[in-house]
Amino acid sequence: MSRKPAPPGHYTATEAAEKLGISVPMLYNHVRSGNLQRIVPKGRKQGFFLQSEVEKLRIELYSFLETGQIQEVEVEPEKEVYHFLPTTKREDLVECAAIAKEVYGSEGTPVDTRLAWMEKNPEILYVVKSDHNVGGYVYILPLQRETIDAILRDERSLASLTQDEIQSFTPEEPIDIYLMSVATRPELARQEKRILSAQVLAGLMNVLRDLAQRGVVIRSLIARSRLPDGIRLLNGMEFDHYPIEIPDKRFSYFIIELDKSNAKFIQRYKQTLRRTQEG
Amino acid sequence: METTIDRLKRIVASVVAVDDTSFEPSASLVEAFNADSLEILEISMGVEDEFAIEVPPDDMSNFTTVGDLVNYIESRVAKIPK
């Protein structure tokens, strides 16, 4: 579900925050304080704000000095608290799809397909989430190595993956993981965005360590990206170039073969796995 | 004996460029040192190793300013059973 323009006489959260000269989290503080009403039209998830109410609040927040300069009335910002957690909730998947659309230009695989995957393996989507929204997410897909390669070669689409092709996290057989998508809300302020991204990555490291504690053997982590930020991130995580034969390379392709990797987070995974296997 | 802020400075300086004058409690990791998400994660892992504490993902919100981080580390270290 994509973010739609506000109905007549209303603003979206981003527009209302811009009008007030404040951040979106600060806008929600005003909602919590009862200064502003968030209106959710029937059948929609996205909330809107009456333009007249926003204007009223703007006048309350700002006072004009004799010099004509605008002075903002101090309002103590309340920090938005985000938690990293796994989810299979439809509404979270819908929010992630909206973030994907803003970041990648497409919502990607339909939500219903992803929900079907989660019936087989409910541990493939992790979000950082506050009381009000999903701030970022990471999808990890355990798949057969040849399936991942077929996706990278565009011989298969992600949307064509069936529930049966999603692997389970069990100690029985080594698995390959396709790091399908990592993103944070692009409209966040720089500091908040970077800290949320770090929270997503730290969460991902914890997920790997948790899998190690359960004796799940990960053979490889594989990813691709065409965005400079994504490529920088994967290089920074010490992914290697994946030398896969692909005729039309629109992406950069990355792999970590865990038995060869010295990346710090992989070392931690391997230490934990060793301890688990030694009992 | 090294203070918490000195030990933290060593960790941060191993990840991003830091000079003596800029490392003060009000300095933001992102704004003052231009730390990106991966560098914040590296600092977090450095803090875990140096102070023998675990930094859960939900505590990453403490990685805003040097002062916040020092307070966080000291509160976590204080909870370690002696």
Side-chain angles (χ1 to χ4, degrees), chain A residues 142-182:
Chain A
L143 295 166
Q144 296 280 358
R145 179 68 172 267
E146 54 267 28
T147 309
I148 297 175
D149 287 352
I151 289 164
L152 298 184
R153 291 195 186 97
D154 286 332
E155 294 162 2
R156 293 281 310 272
S157 69
L158 283 163
S160 74
L161 290 177
T162 63
Q163 197 181 78
D164 288 343
E165 289 177 289
I166 308 298
Q167 309 287 294
S168 299
F169 292 126
T170 60
E172 279 82 47
E173 211 174 319
I175 53 164
D176 297 288
I177 292 179
Y178 180 49
L179 192 56
M180 186 170 93
S181 181
V182 184

Side-chain angles (χ1 to χ4, degrees), chain A residues 211-227:
Chain A
L211 291 175
Q213 279 169 354
R214 289 154 50 184
V216 176
V217 178
I218 303 170
R219 194 164 31 210
S220 68
L221 293 171
I222 298 173
R224 71 177 174 186
S225 184
R226 59 185 159 83
L227 300 179

Side-chain angles (χ1 to χ4, degrees), chain A residues 79-85 128 190-191 193-195 197-199 201-206 209 232-238 264-265 268, chain B residues 28-42 44-46 48-49 54-65 68:
Chain A
K79 216 172 180 180
E80 193 91 42
V81 178
Y82 286 91
H83 299 286
F84 181 88
L85 69 164
V128 281
R190 191 169 86 126
Q191 172 156 302
K193 191 166 163 8
R194 288 189 178 184
I195 287 175
S197 299
Q199 191 175 353
L201 295 173
L204 176 62
M205 313 289 132
N206 268 20
R209 247 194 301 187
R232 199 164 40 241
L233 175 69
L234 292 163
N235 278 322
M237 289 172 78
E238 299 185 44
K264 195 169 183 176
F265 75 96
R268 287 183 173 195
Chain B
S28 149
L29 294 180
V30 172
E31 302 304 338
F33 309 120
N34 197 30
D36 65 20
S37 54
L38 205 54
E39 288 165 337
I40 294 168
L41 181 66
E42 281 182 51
S44 155
M45 289 197 283
E48 287 184 326
D49 292 344
E54 192 180 335
V55 180
D58 288 355
D59 287 357
M60 297 299 284
S61 58
N62 293 288
F63 284 61
T64 47
T65 65
D68 284 348

Side-chain angles (χ1 to χ4, degrees), chain A residues 18-34:
Chain A
E18 273 172 16
K19 288 283 169 193
L20 294 168
I22 60 178
S23 65
V24 172
M26 177 81 94
L27 180 81
Y28 283 107
N29 286 344
H30 286 296
V31 175
R32 273 195 298 276
S33 312

Side-chain angles (χ1 to χ4, degrees), chain A residues 48-112:
Chain A
F48 300 98
F49 300 87
L50 265 175
Q51 289 180 356
S52 55
E53 276 199 14
V54 172
E55 180 56 21
K56 196 173 148 203
L57 180 59
R58 195 185 71 80
I59 292 166
E60 284 172 14
L61 287 178
Y62 290 82
S63 60
F64 286 89
L65 298 174
E66 284 181 359
T67 57
Q69 288 177 319
I70 294 172
Q71 185 182 39
E72 191 174 349
V73 175
E74 289 263 336
V75 179
E76 186 61 33
E78 192 180 314
K79 216 172 180 180
E80 193 91 42
V81 178
Y82 286 91
H83 299 286
F84 181 88
L85 69 164
T87 184
T88 55
K89 288 184 183 164
R90 174 180 285 275
E91 62 263 33
D92 292 339
L93 272 76
V94 168
E95 275 201 69
C96 292
I99 294 172
K101 182 157 192 189
E102 288 183 61
V103 174
Y104 302 112
S106 160
E107 290 186 1
T109 306
V111 164
D112 285 333

